[in-house]
Amino acid sequence: MKAFEIVTEAINPQIYADFVLRPEAGAVTLFTGHVREWTKGVRTMYLSYEAYVPMAEKKLAQIGEEIEQRWEGTKVAIAHRIGELQISDIAVVIAVSSPHRKTAYEANEYAIERIKEIVPIWKKEIWEDGEEWIGDQKKKPEGELT
Amino acid sequence: MIQLHYFAGLREQTGVSEEQVDMAGRTVEDLWQWATEKYPDFVSGAARVAVNEEYALPTDVLETGDVVAFIPPVSGG
């Protein structure tokens, strides 16, 4: 595995938790994002994710660097899966370790928010009667946020 | 030449995933203008442009060998 990667196979979250665990860590937060069946009353059959893989991995690594600068003593690993995913499959995993729990929670949430802003990954929802690329989840038209 | 990549909804609008254009020395904004003329549906895309895997500014100048990607609104997670 790599600390920041786009994968095409099922995600095993434990390997990312193990990767960030260190003797100085008193907390590890492990977030897994899953394929949800119902969104605003519409039933999703499955999702199809696409990524600009080399740039997406760079941007995931950038998020890791942002976190390690902002919260001293943290270590981060992030993976996002692409391809066709079924209901309840893991789409994304974020593991953060830190000396204390508060930081691990905050940094983990920061990571998912940043993924939705800057990482070139796209989700297509496939319904019983149609499909659509999803975008504009955060309404951030400009390039880099600082 | 400049290598162009289209992703997700933009790829479906253009019908191509990659193409090359001779726009070295022109700006990202010029490229954007070219793309919206060639692909009228682009206007609604609200896409960003990445040059060599980094988000670019409209004033950035393209160089031979650059790899450009049109990045529609992202929806990972």
Side-chain angles (χ1 to χ4, degrees):
Chain A
M1 52 113 29
K2 292 184 288 185
F4 303 97
E5 61 181 353
I6 302 295
V7 300
T8 54
E9 303 295 325
I11 287 175
N12 172 6
Q14 190 62 44
I15 63 173
Y16 301 94
D18 292 345
F19 179 83
V20 299
L21 185 58
R22 300 154 295 150
E24 57 270 40
V28 173
T29 50
L30 186 65
F31 171 82
T32 52
H34 298 256
V35 177
R36 181 178 56 234
E37 182 171 21
W38 293 92
T39 299
K40 294 176 183 169
V42 178
R43 186 180 189 185
T44 296
M45 306 302 288
Y46 64 94
L47 295 183
S48 179
Y49 282 98
E50 175 179 328
Y52 181 18
V53 174
M55 182 173 170
E57 291 189 336
K58 274 189 190 174
K59 290 287 152 190
L60 292 176
Q62 177 188 321
I63 292 168
E65 288 167 16
E66 288 174 6
I67 288 171
E68 288 169 16
Q69 284 177 10
R70 188 162 166 173
W71 289 280
E72 197 176 333
T74 53
K75 186 174 181 183
V76 185
I78 307 173
H80 201 298
R81 185 177 172 191
I82 57 172
E84 286 189 8
L85 276 69
Q86 307 301 316
I87 305 302
S88 297
D89 279 353
I90 297 173
V92 60
V93 58
I94 302 166
V96 180
S97 68
S98 68
H100 302 285
R101 68 179 180 280
K102 187 166 189 288
T103 295
Y105 276 120
E106 286 177 1
N108 202 302
E109 183 169 28
Y110 175 86
I112 189 69
E113 297 297 329
R114 288 294 274 157
I115 287 170
K116 290 173 183 290
E117 289 169 356
I118 67 165
V119 182
I121 299 171
W122 301 275
K123 170 172 68 181
K124 182 189 250 184
E125 290 182 356
I126 293 90
W127 313 307
E128 287 166 308
D129 60 349
E131 59 181 41
E132 184 175 294
W133 286 104
I134 308 301
D136 257 337
Q137 289 181 310
K138 298 272 298 185
K139 304 277 185 196
K140 291 275 198 283
E142 292 304 313
E144 285 302 281
L145 297 168
T146 54
Chain B
M1 296 296 276
I2 310 292
Q3 182 75 30
L4 303 181
H5 291 276
Y6 303 90
F7 290 99
L10 288 180
R11 186 192 60 247
E12 292 183 355
Q13 285 173 2
T14 63
V16 295
S17 58
E18 295 180 27
E19 64 182 324
Q20 291 195 328
V21 290
D22 185 11
M23 291 190 68
R26 309 281 293 278
T27 65
V28 166
E29 190 162 18
D30 291 339
L31 178 66
W32 187 250
Q33 186 75 25
W34 170 86
T36 52
E37 284 170 15
K38 186 171 182 183
Y39 305 109
D41 289 345
F42 247 48
V43 180
S44 62
R48 286 176 275 182
V49 170
V51 177
N52 301 329
E53 302 170 6
E54 190 55 70
Y55 290 112
L57 297 171
T59 52
D60 288 351
V61 177
L62 300 168
E63 296 176 19
T64 297
D66 278 349
V67 177
V68 174
F70 291 99
I71 311 279
V74 302
S75 50

